[in-house]
Amino acid sequence: MSLRLSLLAALAFALPSALAACGDGGSGTPTDQTDADTSTTPDEGGGDAADDTAATDDTTPATSCNAITQTGCEEGENCTYVGSGAKTAECVPEGEQPYGAECGGNDGCERGICLNLNDTKFLCYKFCKTDGHCEAGDSCLTLTDTPYKVCEIDDIYTTCDLLAQDCGGAKGCYRIAGQPEPVCLPAGNTAAGGACTNASDCEAGTACVGNKCYPLCDTTAVEPCPNFVGCSQYYGQVGYCDLP
């Protein structure tokens, strides 16, 4: 699987083309794209999560702690990268949120790093060097202009149908920057007409367009929107009801 992700870091990090830490500015430039989106690609190599040598070769900067194995820090500390320009990991007080949970601030995560990728909410990501450091089936993603990689969070980037909203559970189907197809993301709670910043701020079945949530519609339908409201083009045959 190959992903192009926009990156924001909440440690010490909106989107889509900036790499910034909370309080620190920075920029990310893709190595294989012509636009300004930060890109990520899975590391397809194997690996053993228990193998310390996988985290200490020439591609990993020397540091007093190991962010992948979470060794070298005192109890109650998280080995992580602080600030957008950080080249080495350091020990900071651990937060309360586990991997995959929503987070915010410099100390939000118990382990790993708090990031916003592709219009998702800020989530705690685990550091990795290869797929073997991640949960079975999840890829180790390379983030442009960072000295580290992070594990994909399970099922966040499953493709879906905007009109069918076929993600299931508490997820909605959204079109996000850098992805060629709509993907499943944790659904937001902002109803149509409400303000939004990220795609997933809006309820399932709505889209964030111009910082406002709009209901999705089928442009091929006879009456795609109620009360004779127009259905503006959005993605393929999918549009949005241009409510006032």
Side-chain angles (χ1 to χ4, degrees):
M1 179 178 64
S2 178
L3 303 173
R4 282 176 65 227
L5 309 180
S6 299
L7 168 67
L8 287 177
L11 260 181
F13 143 32
L15 218 271
S17 60
L19 167 62
C22 287
D24 292 334
S27 63
T29 303
T31 58
D32 59 352
Q33 304 295 335
T34 57
D35 58 19
D37 287 335
T38 301
S39 65
T40 66
T41 55
D43 185 325
E44 297 178 353
D48 184 348
D51 183 3
D52 286 6
T53 61
T56 57
D57 69 5
D58 292 341
T59 65
T60 303
T63 179
S64 59
C65 67
N66 190 314
I68 298 175
T69 60
Q70 284 295 316
T71 55
C73 293
E74 300 294 331
E75 183 176 355
E77 291 183 326
N78 173 25
C79 182
T80 190
Y81 293 80
V82 179
S84 61
K87 300 298 183 183
T88 59
E90 61 183 272
C91 299
V92 300
E94 67 181 23
E96 298 180 353
Q97 301 305 316
Y99 293 132
E102 288 189 41
C103 55
N106 296 347
D107 56 356
C109 301
E110 182 180 19
R111 295 289 182 269
I113 190 168
C114 185
L115 301 176
N116 176 330
L117 303 180
N118 264 8
D119 286 349
T120 66
K121 295 175 173 61
F122 284 91
L123 302 172
C124 290
Y125 285 81
K126 180 180 181 180
F127 292 112
C128 59
K129 175 175 171 55
T130 71
D131 292 353
H133 294 116
C134 304
E135 295 295 324
D138 293 341
S139 298
C140 184
L141 307 175
T142 298
L143 308 181
T144 302
D145 293 339
T146 68
Y148 54 81
K149 301 177 182 180
V150 296
C151 292
E152 171 191 10
I153 294 179
D154 191 36
D155 291 335
I156 277 189
Y157 304 108
T158 301
T159 58
C160 53
D161 187 304
L162 285 169
L163 293 177
Q165 288 293 314
D166 51 353
C167 293
K171 293 184 178 181
C173 186
Y174 300 94
R175 183 186 180 195
I176 58 178
Q179 288 295 331
E181 299 180 60
V183 295
C184 295
L185 298 173
N189 53 18
T190 302
C196 57
T197 300
N198 299 324
S200 57
D201 289 341
C202 300
E203 291 180 337
T206 63
C208 184
V209 181
N211 299 118
K212 181 178 177 180
C213 296
Y214 291 91
L216 295 173
C217 53
D218 185 347
T219 58
T220 65
V222 176
E223 294 184 14
C225 300
N227 301 321
F228 303 103
V229 171
C231 181
S232 298
Q233 181 64 37
Y234 181 58
Y235 173 83
Q237 75 176 58
V238 181
Y240 62 92
C241 296
D242 198 6
L243 302 178

